């Protein structure tokens, strides 16, 4: 009897010892089921893993005509956020959005010399909370003859919205400048997807089926980084946005491997106080024209509109923006660089392998901060009546071009500053390759493809220094300045090896 009791007690102890292991094993099995990878139709660079699939009955999204998916998508996003963050997955299909939610922005507004806090309302469709990524099943249009396939979000709300790009005059203290008081304009614009800190939108396309190239209407921003750090956009096609991606005061935006047709503005950056990145992004009318979607207009019709109205990439103040492998074609302005509305803060940046063609102004420089802009291994082109590069009257700092090809004239009305060209080529220009009305220009080992019309110096020009530049090293200068110092030097002893071209990313 004692022996039986001892055996029973031992058995109970063994069972109790095994119980935590069994519970852990069950939990692990449950976790394995929840976190198994999702098989996509189109190839991806990584595994798609999600516990929050929008079409699950718990959320109820449907790829069906007429069904409004706003509530279902937001429920999945909210669930991911409440669980600590994660990926919200959208299977291939067309998902319609037909309603909005109301948001509030508290702004420090100016009232003469005083200030007050005031709430402003805006409309949005989806709000990504911190730590949540919205991911679909994406087909690269470049390898599918331009076709837009896979996960497509159809925006059927916001047409002709009065607050499509709204802003309000406000005050803020600039922490990067000793809390100096600034006057600026805070965006209170409507938006389709609001992106907060640590969020992402990847592997999907966004389309506005009711947009008409013959009667274009404004729509709110498609993607809007409202605040915080680290908003990522990767493998995204914006088929026909009116305004594409807006980065409001924040840091570390990252847009890569994406395609955009935008009828007004493709990408706009405001007050990025540290290191935004744009990599391998293409902005062109062709992504709508070649999409294969119902109502897609001809390439000629889209290009006619964007060349009359559109800006590809617009950078206001950004501290150390890095832009590489950006291509813009068929816009009124390809790349715009300048001040924040309301105050003089401007960006500094490095641009590498940026290629702009068929734009009225390939590069438009309003102003640059004292650290300057470096542009290398790039090209800027314009039609006969356009400018490869134009410097506005407010420019007074520094832009350096290294290994850049210019097809069209470079014109400067800047008030001062230094523009330097090293190992650059100038071709397909009219009267002059360089028409510089003021400031200072440095030329080092630059090749002009015509034997005349190289440099025009305006009345307020200060300095032109040239080393081994011109047509076969013979530089033609038309000097209309009153007191410019002009120095032209040639000789083999000044020759240097240029920076290699076509250096690829690893």
């Amino acid at each position: 009897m004692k022996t039986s009791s001892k055996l029973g007690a031992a058995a109970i102890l063994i069972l109790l010892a095994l119980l935590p292991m069994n519970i852990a094993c069950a939990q692990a099995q449950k976790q394995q089921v929840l976190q198994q990878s999702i098989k996509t139709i189109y190839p991806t660079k990584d595994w798609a893993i999600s516990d929050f699939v929008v079409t699950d009955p718990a959320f109820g999204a449907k790829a069906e005509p007429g069904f409004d998916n706003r509530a279902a998508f937001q429920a999945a996003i909210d669930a991911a956020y409440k669980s600590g963050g994660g990926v919200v997955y959208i299977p291939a299909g067309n998902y319609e959005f037909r309603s909005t939610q109301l948001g509030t922005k508290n702004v420090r507004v100016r009232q003469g010399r005083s200030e007050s806090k005031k709430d402003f309302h805006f409309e949005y469709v989806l709000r990504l909370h911190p730590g949540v990524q919205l991911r679909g099943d994406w087909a690269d249009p470049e390898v599918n003859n331009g076709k837009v396939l896979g996960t497509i979000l159809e925006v059927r709300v916001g047409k002709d919205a009065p607050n499509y790009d709204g802003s309000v005059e406000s005050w803020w203290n600039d922490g990067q400048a000793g809390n100096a008081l600034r006057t600026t304009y805070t965006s209170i614009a409507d938006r389709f997807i609001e992106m907060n800190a640590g969020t992402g939108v990847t592997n999907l396309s966004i389309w506005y089926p009711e947009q008409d190239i013959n009667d274009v209407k404004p729509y709110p921003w498609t993607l809007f980084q409202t605040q915080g750090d680290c908003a990522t956009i990767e493998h995204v096609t914006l088929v026909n946005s009116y305004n594409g991606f807006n980065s409001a005061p924040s840091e570390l935006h990252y847009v890569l491997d994406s395609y955009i047709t935008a009828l007004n503005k493709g990408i706009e950056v405001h007050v990025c106080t540290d290191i935004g990145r744009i990599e391998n992004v293409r902005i062109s009318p062709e992504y709508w024209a070649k999409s294969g979607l119902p109502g897609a207009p001809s390439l000629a019709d889209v290009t006619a509109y964007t060349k009359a109205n559109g800006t590809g990439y617009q950078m206001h103040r950004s501290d150390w923006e890095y832009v590489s492998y950006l291509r813009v074609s068929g816009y009124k302005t390809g790349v715009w660089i300048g001040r924040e509305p309301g105050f003089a803060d401007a960006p500094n940046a490095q641009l590498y392998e940026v290629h702009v063609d068929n734009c009225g102004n390939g590069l438009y420089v309003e102003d640059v901060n004292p650290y300057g802009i470096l542009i290398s291994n790039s090209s800027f082109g314009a039609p006969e009546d356009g400018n490869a590069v134009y410097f506005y009257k407010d420019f007074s700092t520094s832009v350096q071009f290294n290994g850049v090809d210019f097809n069209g004239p470079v014109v400067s009305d800047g008030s001062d500053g230094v523009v330097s060209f090293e190992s650059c080529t100038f071709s397909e220009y009219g009267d002059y390759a360089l028409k510089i009305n003021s400031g200072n220009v440095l030329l080092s080992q630059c090749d002009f493809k015509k034997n005349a019309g190289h440099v025009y110096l305006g009345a307020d020009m200060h300095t032109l220094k040239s080393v081994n530049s011109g047509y076969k090293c013979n530089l033609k200068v038309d000097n209309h300045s009153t007191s410019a110092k002009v120095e032209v030097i040639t000789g083999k002893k000044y020759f240097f090896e240029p920076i290699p071209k076509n250096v690829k990313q690893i």
Side-chain angles (χ1 to χ4, degrees), residues 90-104:
I90 315 161
N94 288 44
Y95 299 84
E96 296 185 5
F97 295 86
R98 295 177 170 272
S99 61
T100 63
Q101 307 180 67
L102 191 65
T104 302

Side-chain angles (χ1 to χ4, degrees), residues 408-452:
V410 176
V411 178
S412 177
D413 290 322
S415 61
D416 201 348
V418 178
V419 183
S420 65
F421 303 88
E422 183 175 305
S423 303
C424 294
T425 61
F426 299 87
S427 59
E428 303 301 325
Y429 49 87
D431 294 336
Y432 298 98
L434 291 170
K435 187 175 182 180
I436 313 298
N437 295 311
S438 62
N440 307 276
V441 169
L442 308 177
L443 292 168
S444 301
Q445 214 160 281
C446 291
D447 181 21
F448 292 77
K449 297 301 184 181
K450 297 181 180 181
N451 62 6

